[in-house]
Amino acid sequence: GAVVSQHPSWVICKSGTSVKIECRSLDFQATTMFWYRQFPKQSLMLMATSNEGSKATYEQGVEKDKFLINHASLTLSTLTVTSAHPEDSSFYICSARGFEGRGAGANVLTFGAGSRLTVL
Amino acid sequence: DAKTTQPNSMESNEEEPVHLPCNHSTISGTDYIHWYRQLPSQGPEYVIHGLTSNVNNRMASLAIAEDRKSSTLILHRATLRDAAVYYCILQLASGSARQLTFGSGTQLTVLP
C-alpha cells in the first residue's frame, strides 16, 4: 500500500532557529501533498497544499513567509518553520493521495506519522 | 464542504462490536463518506470509504443509510488497539487530489 514517511518524528529547537520537516512518498509519486498542523486536544487543521514544481497554496491565517514549503520532486515535500517560536510548537502532519485505483476518485489520502516540534 | 456530526466520545468493551454513528444531513450526491482514525501521537489512518452501498474491508464495515444522511462505522470486535479518535469526513469526488477537512471526531475508549 501507499506509504508516506516523515522526518524527523520529533524535534526540539531553540526559539529563533529554523526547522525543516521532510515528507516523502515512498512507493508512489505525489504531485500534490497536504500539510496539516494539530495542537494538543484539537483536530487537524490544513495549513497548505504543496504542488510539485509550483508555489504552495496557503490557508487563510497561515504565514507563507514563516512556513516555507518546497515540493521539488514528485516524492518529496519539505516544510521549513523559520524563526520558530514557542507558539509554533505543534504536531505537523503531511499527506498525499496514494491510491490511483479504487480510491482515486474518492480521494483517499495517506498520512505520514507526523513530526512533533517543540520550541523552547 | 458539507459538515458531519459525531458524538464526542464512546466506550466499548474489548471483543465486543462497536457502532460509531455519523450524521451528514447536507451531503451532496457526489460526496464520498470517508472514515479515518488517529491513534495517539500518530498521523491519521484510512479506515474505509463508501458512496451509496455498504462496504466491508479487513478493518471495518461501513453502513450507509438509504438517504445517505447518516452512516455508521462498525468495528466487529473491538481490541485495545482500536482506541483512537475516529473521524467521519465527506470528501468531494475529484480527479485531482483534494484535502480532507477534519472535524472533532469521536474518541473511542476500549475497556479491557
Side-chain angles (χ1 to χ4, degrees):
Chain A
V3 178
V4 172
S5 174
Q6 272 187 252
H7 179 80
S9 55
W10 58 270
V11 57
I12 301 172
C13 69
K14 292 182 178 180
S15 185
T17 61
S18 294
V19 174
K20 180 185 285 187
I21 299 170
E22 293 186 347
C23 178
R24 294 181 184 272
S25 55
L26 296 187
D27 50 0
F28 66 100
Q29 294 182 332
T31 55
T32 302
M33 290 185 175
F34 303 102
W35 286 95
Y36 290 83
R37 179 168 56 182
Q38 185 175 33
F39 292 108
K41 305 293 184 185
Q42 295 186 24
S43 189
L44 283 80
M45 293 296 294
L46 181 69
M47 296 177 65
T49 300
S50 171
N51 300 297
E52 187 269 335
S54 65
K55 290 183 179 180
T57 304
Y58 291 83
E59 294 300 298
Q60 191 172 9
V62 177
E63 299 175 59
K64 63 179 181 181
D65 295 329
K66 181 168 188 61
F67 299 100
L68 301 179
I69 291 173
N70 184 285
H71 194 155
S73 79
L74 288 172
T75 59
L76 174 64
S77 175
T78 60
L79 168 68
T80 301
V81 183
T82 63
S83 187
H85 291 285
E87 57 265 31
D88 299 322
S89 298
S90 189
F91 193 47
Y92 293 88
I93 308 166
C94 69
S95 70
R97 188 176 76 173
F99 293 91
E100 292 302 333
R102 176 180 55 84
N107 269 282
V108 172
L109 297 186
T110 300
F111 288 81
S115 299
R116 186 165 302 284
L117 171 63
T118 300
V119 184
L120 303 177
Chain B
D1 292 332
K3 287 189 175 181
T4 63
T5 304
Q6 300 178 251
N8 289 331
S9 62
M10 290 186 65
E11 278 188 358
S12 171
N13 293 318
E14 195 176 10
E15 298 193 2
E16 291 187 356
V18 182
H19 291 233
L20 299 166
C22 180
N23 288 319
H24 29 78
S25 58
T26 59
I27 189 171
S28 73
T30 52
D31 283 336
Y32 282 83
I33 302 162
H34 286 227
W35 284 83
Y36 289 76
R37 70 180 186 181
Q38 186 177 24
L39 279 65
S41 299
Q42 294 188 30
E45 173 188 27
Y46 166 78
V47 177
I48 200 166
H49 78 278
L51 185 61
T52 57
S53 304
N54 295 342
V55 184
N56 299 297
N57 66 20
R58 63 175 180 82
M59 289 183 69
S61 295
L62 176 60
I64 301 173
E66 197 169 332
D67 63 4
R68 301 212 321 131
K69 293 185 177 182
S70 66
S71 62
T72 302
L73 179 71
I74 303 166
L75 306 179
H76 295 286
R77 287 184 65 200
T79 70
L80 296 178
R81 288 176 295 181
D82 291 322
V85 179
Y86 286 78
Y87 297 98
C88 169
I89 304 170
L90 299 184
Q91 177 69 305
L92 186 65
S94 172
S96 57
R98 183 179 169 84
Q99 75 275 12
L100 291 169
T101 301
F102 287 81
S104 53
T106 297
Q107 173 70 62
L108 174 66
T109 300
V110 180
L111 304 173

